[in-house]
Amino acid sequence: MKHDLKGKKQLYGLTFSEITQIVKDEGFPAFTAKQIADWLYKKEISSISEMTNLSLKIREQLSEKYEFGLTPFTKVDVSSDGTKKYLFTTSNNKFVEAAYIPETERATLCVSTQAGCKMGCLFCMTGKQGFQGNLSTNEILNQFRSIPEFQTISNLVYMGMGEPFDNLDNVLSSLEILTSEWGYAWSPKRITVSSIGIIPAMITFLEKSNCNLAISLHNPFDDERRQLMPIQNVYPIQEVIAEIKRADLGRQQRISFEYIMFDGVNDTDKHVKALVKLLSGLKCRINLIRFHSIPLTPLKGTPDERIMEFRNALTTKGVFTTIRASRGQDIQAACGLLSTKEMGKNNS
Ligand code: SF4
């Protein structure tokens, strides 16, 4: 449980069983747990004093050890296409970002799960910063609750900074709060968790959550994927996909594969053929993503025309494939670009 600077613990981000335990420890009536959960996740207040159906005595007793626990963002950048990038400071004074992406009929928030990342993917700005720490459940959900557009968010994607399955407990707790009746009561269909495929954590996720899963594939060949993603040395994509094929998926749970297009690296006919073979028998989709060049990597993005041909070739062979629209590029909110300049300043 996260503490604030005054040593108080934070209520926001607790699961119902954790709230129930506090209620028990403090000697409050049992129904108080449901009341607190309602105030935390169903109403728009930000302090314990506003929990007006709790007696004054309970509010005072609760306030001695706890605070509500929301943290405002420290900065926002707004793109010419309406995408916004919010910067948050974590409890250990690191920085993370969330990207809000409004579209005609929906608005997606992309949240971070770690400050920095250990995984070292060649094409990723976050990976270049190294690992700065896991986000608590509070810090993951605070990105969602503490932006002005909170009520307009229709979809959540765990695709910001960090590898969600390297912080599985906090990610699962946040999903529990988002999808439980006592929490935000969101349909799991509205949430997608994106991972490079850490097999043991992925199996636990598939057992415990009905949220959608996106796997960063980026190359179907073992030797080539190793060059892009060191995780291939530990959990090869072939085994990741075999595990997904074996899993008992939720009826409405969607599996997708992210595929960033690198010019001359993973965009040939040979790659189409290997992808079709690798994914055969699996109900899934591939999202092709334009690559935005980043410093310190020789990789370049595939031209649009070739991306289209690649999509058509996969579709013709029966693999449902889309090309993801690129958003927020001018404020570095696009995929793989989330990384804070502030983090660099903080560490220097
Ligand atoms: S792509 Fe994801 S897993 Fe790889 S370094 Fe970046 S944040 Fe980490």
Side-chain angles (χ1 to χ4, degrees):
M1 194 182 299
K2 197 183 153 198
H3 296 242
D4 75 350
L5 293 175
K6 299 183 282 302
K8 287 191 182 175
K9 296 171 195 162
Q10 298 180 315
L11 292 176
Y12 187 75
L14 295 182
T15 61
F16 192 67
S17 60
E18 289 167 328
I19 299 168
T20 303
Q21 189 59 49
I22 290 172
V23 164
K24 211 168 153 194
D25 293 347
E26 296 295 324
F28 301 153
F31 61 80
T32 315
K34 173 77 171 61
Q35 291 175 315
I36 294 174
D38 277 358
W39 286 113
L40 290 172
Y41 306 123
K42 298 203 185 293
K43 296 176 180 158
E44 281 200 64
I45 60 157
S46 56
S47 67
I48 292 172
S49 62
E50 292 170 273
M51 299 180 174
T52 47
N53 63 354
L54 306 188
S55 71
L56 188 59
K57 189 165 168 282
I58 289 180
R59 276 181 272 163
E60 282 173 357
Q61 190 176 328
L62 206 50
S63 300
E64 281 168 22
K65 292 189 199 153
Y66 299 92
E67 61 160 16
F68 193 95
L70 295 181
T71 310
F73 60 88
T74 41
K75 191 178 157 213
V76 57
D77 290 324
V78 184
S79 162
S80 54
D81 67 14
T83 300
K84 292 182 178 177
K85 188 171 72 167
Y86 287 97
L87 183 80
F88 291 91
T89 309
T90 66
S91 58
N92 61 347
N93 272 338
K94 304 300 177 193
F95 292 92
V96 292
E97 291 174 334
Y100 172 78
I101 308 153
E103 292 165 275
T104 322
E105 292 186 353
R106 55 195 242 162
T108 303
L109 184 72
C110 173
V111 294
S112 296
T113 54
Q114 297 181 311
C117 184
K118 295 175 198 157
M119 302 300 156
C121 301
L122 185 66
F123 48 84
C124 175
M125 281 298 281
T126 307
K128 303 229 171 293
Q129 294 174 345
F131 180 63
Q132 313 276 336
N134 279 331
L135 299 197
S136 63
T137 308
N138 170 289
E139 289 168 330
I140 295 170
L141 288 177
N142 183 65
Q143 299 165 67
F144 160 72
R145 177 63 170 77
S146 290
I147 66 168
E149 298 85 1
F150 161 61
Q151 287 292 8
T152 69
I153 299 166
S154 61
N155 296 76
L156 263 176
V157 293
Y158 285 58
M159 292 186 185
M161 301 169 74
E163 162 53 47
F165 289 170
D166 192 36
N167 185 14
L168 184 67
D169 289 348
N170 291 328
V171 166
L172 286 177
S173 293
S174 68
L175 296 176
E176 186 186 340
I177 292 166
L178 287 163
T179 58
S180 296
E181 278 308 314
W182 52 261
Y184 287 104
W186 268 35
S187 162
K189 282 193 290 186
R190 296 165 66 186
I191 304 169
T192 301
V193 177
S194 174
S195 168
I196 55 174
I198 298 176
I199 291 176
M202 181 185 79
I203 292 172
T204 306
F205 167 84
L206 290 172
E207 282 168 2
K208 294 195 169 177
S209 172
N210 276 329
C211 294
N212 299 319
L213 174 66
I215 294 289
S216 301
L217 202 166
H218 307 325
N219 205 306
F221 295 111
D222 183 62
D223 52 337
E224 293 182 9
R225 193 169 185 263
R226 278 169 203 256
Q227 309 293 319
L228 294 172
M229 305 170 74
I231 194 71
Q232 179 72 10
N233 293 304
V234 188
Y235 299 119
I237 192 68
Q238 292 72 14
E239 287 178 27
V240 171
I241 290 169
E243 283 298 341
I244 295 174
K245 287 181 180 173
R246 269 195 286 274
D248 183 16
L249 300 174
R251 245 180 344 120
Q252 298 184 308
Q253 197 167 19
R254 208 172 62 199
I255 304 293
S256 56
F257 292 92
E258 309 289 296
Y259 199 91
I260 305 178
M261 301 288 293
F262 303 111
D263 192 22
V265 172
N266 64 353
D267 58 358
T268 70
D269 293 345
K270 178 185 87 163
H271 292 93
V272 171
K273 214 170 150 194
L275 281 170
V276 172
K277 193 166 168 221
L278 187 62
L279 299 178
S280 72
L282 185 64
K283 191 166 168 270
C284 64
R285 73 159 68 180
I286 296 183
N287 292 319
L288 302 180
I289 301 166
R290 291 179 180 84
F291 177 63
H292 309 285
S293 293
I294 62 167
L296 307 176
T297 154
L299 296 165
K300 289 194 176 53
T302 299
D304 274 4
E305 203 185 355
R306 177 62 195 153
I307 296 180
M308 239 88 89
E309 286 170 7
F310 200 82
R311 192 253 332 257
N312 294 344
L314 283 166
T315 308
T316 307
K317 294 207 159 47
V319 182
F320 182 50
T321 308
T322 58
I323 301 171
R324 184 180 303 157
S326 191
R327 299 289 303 268
Q329 202 175 340
D330 53 337
I331 56 164
Q332 305 217 316
C335 180
L337 290 180
L338 282 184
S339 77
T340 54
K341 292 182 199 109
E342 280 74 9
M343 183 180 279
K345 283 184 216 157
N346 190 48
N347 292 336
S348 60

